[in-house]
Amino acid sequence: MRLIEVTRFGGPEVLTLTEAAEPAPGPGEVLVEVAVADVLWVETMIRRGHGGAYFPVRPPYRPGVGVAGTVGAVGAGVDPGWAGRRVVTRTDERGGYLERAVVPAEGIVPVPDGVSLPDAAALLHDGATAFGLLDLVPVRGGDRVLVTAAAGGLGALLVQEVRARGGVVVAAARGPAKLDALRRFAPDVVVDYAEPDWTEQVRAATGGVHVVLDGAGGDYGRAAFDLLLDGGRFSAHGTPAGEFAVPDREATRARGITVTGIADLRFPPDQARRHLRAALDAAATGRVTPLIGQTYPLHRASEAHRALEERAAIGKALLTV
């Protein structure tokens, strides 16, 4: 079986294609013939050795945390009816950038008819996070909502679901290509935060926002915080710009602003599956569509990581197996 391993921290080049023995499911497990593997921004941080306390991974390790595919075999104690079914699932330390994944049967989620396996893989983490985040940071009809990193996999889903819930969406991203990709989802306002006056553009268009869903972090997130109206809600869940933009506690308290951080989005498995099922159902009905900007074959996993790090990726980057 082919898979990707990391034997040392470093750049994308440390993602190495190798071979391993064919896996077999044990009791309570299934074997998934992988069609698509999810790729996350946080995996690039882990690969560089910047996982920190949240992701204390050490080499050698197998990267990848989720796949979509077809159940090829079931272990003892598992309903044989799962065999041949399309599923999406998180993976464990055995990795996710591989041809066949063995996972606990209790963690697999069936993919609804009408949802492709690439779309299911794209929703595995970003869909669950988007729907879970909007449970924690509710959006009411008429709320003006700023989404940063809006052309990312998570951001694009948030743009669509906030609109579906009646919010007025301000989508912020960097560069013409990402802005063009966003327009298919019809946000109310689109701004390029490569422009120095982007916050003034948002303020002129909205007069201030009720909610910020910050997937960018860094200076972008801090600037977005200043656009919040008193009593607003702020989610600091992204780091592509360098760090989580967690605002000053005194400032938030004085202005009555509610803050949600990345720790709040680490849902227990049963809750994460519930949010994932909601995302899959929304995709099946056409309420949301994952923005998949690029796919790479398994042996080119390093290119997927490089695209994310260079901020060249639009929407989701996936590995096809």
Side-chain angles (χ1 to χ4, degrees), residues 143-182:
D143 279 348
R144 299 187 294 277
V145 182
L146 170 60
V147 181
T148 67
L154 172 58
L157 293 171
L158 289 171
V159 167
Q160 296 171 74
E161 185 59 20
V162 168
R163 285 198 78 244
R165 297 186 185 199
V168 176
V169 182
V170 181
R174 185 181 182 90
K178 293 184 178 181
L179 300 186
D180 286 344
L182 278 171

Side-chain angles (χ1 to χ4, degrees), residues 28-62:
E29 296 181 327
V30 301
L31 181 144
V32 178
E33 299 284 352
V34 177
V36 190
D38 192 9
V39 182
L40 301 179
W41 165 262
V42 70
E43 294 180 277
T44 71
M45 297 175 58
I46 293 169
R47 193 210 65 237
R48 295 195 307 270
H50 300 157
Y54 285 120
F55 306 100
V57 178
R58 293 289 179 268
Y61 73 93
R62 294 180 177 183

Side-chain angles (χ1 to χ4, degrees), residues 12-33:
E13 69 279 358
V14 304
L15 295 167
T16 303
L17 184 69
T18 187
E19 296 274 346
E22 292 291 338
E29 296 181 327
V30 301
L31 181 144
V32 178
E33 299 284 352

Side-chain angles (χ1 to χ4, degrees), residues 26-252:
E29 296 181 327
V30 301
L31 181 144
V32 178
E33 299 284 352
V34 177
V36 190
D38 192 9
V39 182
L40 301 179
W41 165 262
V42 70
E43 294 180 277
T44 71
M45 297 175 58
I46 293 169
R47 193 210 65 237
R48 295 195 307 270
H50 300 157
Y54 285 120
F55 306 100
V57 178
R58 293 289 179 268
Y61 73 93
R62 294 180 177 183
V65 289
V67 299
T70 303
V71 176
V74 302
V78 178
D79 180 357
W82 278 110
R85 294 190 65 181
R86 299 187 315 142
V87 299
V88 61
T89 180
R90 299 189 181 211
T91 56
D92 54 23
E93 69 278 357
R94 289 172 283 191
Y97 298 178
L98 36 62
E99 292 181 312
R100 281 168 283 283
V102 172
V103 297
E106 65 182 6
I108 59 177
V109 175
V111 177
D113 293 341
V115 177
S116 69
L117 289 176
D119 280 359
L123 290 167
L124 174 58
H125 291 94
D126 288 344
T129 300
F131 279 75
L133 175 57
L134 291 174
D135 268 4
L136 293 172
V137 186
V139 171
R140 297 178 287 269
D143 279 348
R144 299 187 294 277
V145 182
L146 170 60
V147 181
T148 67
L154 172 58
L157 293 171
L158 289 171
V159 167
Q160 296 171 74
E161 185 59 20
V162 168
R163 285 198 78 244
R165 297 186 185 199
V168 176
V169 182
V170 181
R174 185 181 182 90
K178 293 184 178 181
L179 300 186
D180 286 344
L182 278 171
R183 289 191 175 96
R184 76 185 71 171
F185 304 124
D188 298 278
V189 181
V190 177
V191 294
D192 186 343
Y193 47 43
E195 298 178 5
D197 66 340
W198 75 272
T199 55
E200 285 80 1
Q201 293 179 41
V202 174
R203 200 180 301 279
T206 65
V209 298
H210 301 97
V211 181
V212 170
L213 303 176
D214 178 39
D219 290 340
Y220 299 126
R222 286 185 282 271
F225 176 80
D226 291 337
L227 292 167
L228 267 176
L229 299 170
D230 289 354
R233 286 94 73 198
F234 185 87
S235 174
H237 57 264
T239 61
E243 59 186 349
F244 295 112
V246 180
D248 178 76
R249 288 185 180 180
E250 290 187 8
T252 59

